[in-house]
Amino acid sequence: MNVLRSVAEIRAAVADAKAAGEEVGLVPTMGALHEGHLSLIRAARAESGLVIVSLFVNPTQFGAHEDLDAYPRDQERDARLAREAGADILFAPPVSEVYPDGFATTIHVTGVTDVLCGAVRGPGHFDGVATVVAKLFGMVAPDSAYFGQKDAQQVVVVRRLVRDLNMPVRVVACPIVREPDGLAMSSRNAYLDEASRRRATALNRALDTADALVRSGERRAAPVIAAARGVLAAAGLDPEYIELRDAEDLSAREDVGDRALLAISARVGAARLIDNRILEGDHRCDASC
Ligand code: AMP
């Protein structure tokens, strides 16, 4: 696996692969790789001739009081894990390569960025995400790009960006990878002390409870959210948000309908954690109905 740092180098590598008829798959990450990231790399490996993992802690998507400086960084470990998962290239540009002096463009996706994490973190967060993803697509020109459903709103924003700007990139969303006790894997789990780590499992348990209620026949948002909120409260967690939204356009939903996204954000100790579940209202009732 090669580690490349400049746009010129990555362009040359991609041009060679495309000339050889290979499909190019890109996995954008901020490093501190875990099994969630590795699942994306393996998905890219299964479908691409050239697999590029980008490693860039994007300063523009962090708010002024967020954890940019504290964000875990270990490039040697990341390079080893990316290689073992099947990456051909680790693209790890310095900030000056991505945002050279005079950089003056921001991409703002309206609507879907106003809610959930966009409301909590402010509009700058998804502006930073949309801008860096657009830049990575411009630098790498991948055929496919792989994102985790863990960041469900990010997937919606990226799909909208790609559609609105006619980018010739296939966006692939991969399932959430969890720890054995159900906690969604996240680089920010490293901020949790032992007690917070235990409490953090309440997010997934709250989603399980909501899911079970829907499977037993409930479809209304209010009781489903109340049940999930109860699980969080029992663990001493007061969520930043817990909302039922349309999985495709993130509009508010009063009812699960055929399917809807239940999304949670909560501060747990030193970490801000997010998790979500697609609730399916159209499945056949199981034995408990
Ligand atoms: P990050 O490094 O946090 O920006 O994440 C890079 C990519 O990995 C994003 O597309 C995330 O959605 C994805 N990702 C992070 N955690 C998980 C997880 N637990 N399961 C699946 N994908 C994940």
Side-chain angles (χ1 to χ4, degrees):
M1 187 187 72
N2 285 330
V3 179
L4 304 182
R5 306 213 178 265
S6 73
V7 176
E9 288 172 307
I10 196 76
R11 285 236 169 95
V14 168
D16 286 350
K18 288 193 171 172
E22 287 178 346
E23 293 269 316
V24 176
L26 171 67
V27 181
T29 83
M30 298 203 300
L33 300 186
H34 51 65
E35 274 299 319
H37 300 111
L38 303 185
S39 74
L40 306 184
I41 299 172
R42 291 187 195 109
R45 178 74 283 163
E47 298 180 338
S48 323
L50 182 71
V51 174
I52 299 170
V53 175
S54 64
L55 194 175
F56 182 63
V57 182
N58 176 35
T60 65
Q61 71 189 69
F62 287 77
H65 304 292
E66 294 187 350
D67 55 342
L68 174 62
D69 294 335
Y71 201 82
R73 292 165 169 90
D74 185 346
Q75 207 175 113
E76 236 171 75
R77 177 178 171 280
D78 287 341
R80 177 172 54 77
L81 291 175
R83 176 173 46 77
E84 288 169 2
D88 298 305
I89 292 175
L90 186 72
F91 177 47
V95 172
S96 58
E97 184 75 5
V98 179
Y99 299 111
D101 280 350
F103 185 82
T105 301
T106 298
I107 295 194
H108 179 70
V109 179
T110 60
V112 292
T113 59
D114 292 342
V115 299
L116 302 176
C117 286
V120 171
R121 301 183 72 174
H125 170 63
F126 282 114
D127 288 357
V129 169
T131 303
V132 82
V133 167
K135 283 182 64 69
L136 285 168
F137 288 1
M139 293 170 186
V140 174
D143 297 295
S144 303
Y146 296 79
F147 294 87
Q149 181 63 21
K150 159 88 183 346
D151 298 274
Q153 187 173 16
Q154 176 169 275
V155 172
V156 171
V157 171
V158 171
R159 286 195 195 284
R160 187 62 57 98
L161 167 75
V162 161
R163 194 192 70 180
D164 288 354
L165 297 186
N166 305 92
M167 294 172 162
V169 180
R170 185 174 69 106
V171 175
V172 182
C174 299
I176 300 174
V177 178
R178 299 179 179 280
E179 300 284 357
D181 64 6
L183 176 66
M185 291 195 180
S186 165
S187 308
R188 292 188 166 101
N189 292 350
Y191 301 155
L192 298 169
D193 61 23
E194 215 179 303
S196 300
R197 173 67 186 75
R198 273 195 303 276
R199 289 163 70 217
T201 60
L203 273 75
N204 180 55
R205 285 187 283 111
L207 295 168
D208 281 346
T209 298
D211 199 20
L213 196 54
V214 171
R215 284 174 190 277
S216 72
E218 184 59 75
R219 296 288 180 273
R220 295 166 301 161
V224 170
I225 289 172
R229 197 181 275 282
V231 175
L232 296 173
L237 300 182
D238 180 19
E240 287 178 327
Y241 63 71
I242 173 164
E243 295 180 19
L244 191 72
R245 294 202 164 260
D246 186 272
E248 271 73 46
D249 66 15
L250 302 184
S251 58
R253 290 279 291 269
E254 294 301 321
D255 196 280
V256 172
D258 285 353
R259 71 197 285 273
L261 175 75
L262 182 61
I264 299 177
S265 161
R267 286 188 182 276
V268 187
R272 180 179 171 273
L273 302 181
I274 58 172
D275 202 348
N276 70 83
R277 185 78 54 87
I278 301 281
L279 302 177
E280 308 257 359
D282 64 349
H283 60 75
R284 296 162 67 103
C285 275
D286 58 27
S288 61
C289 290

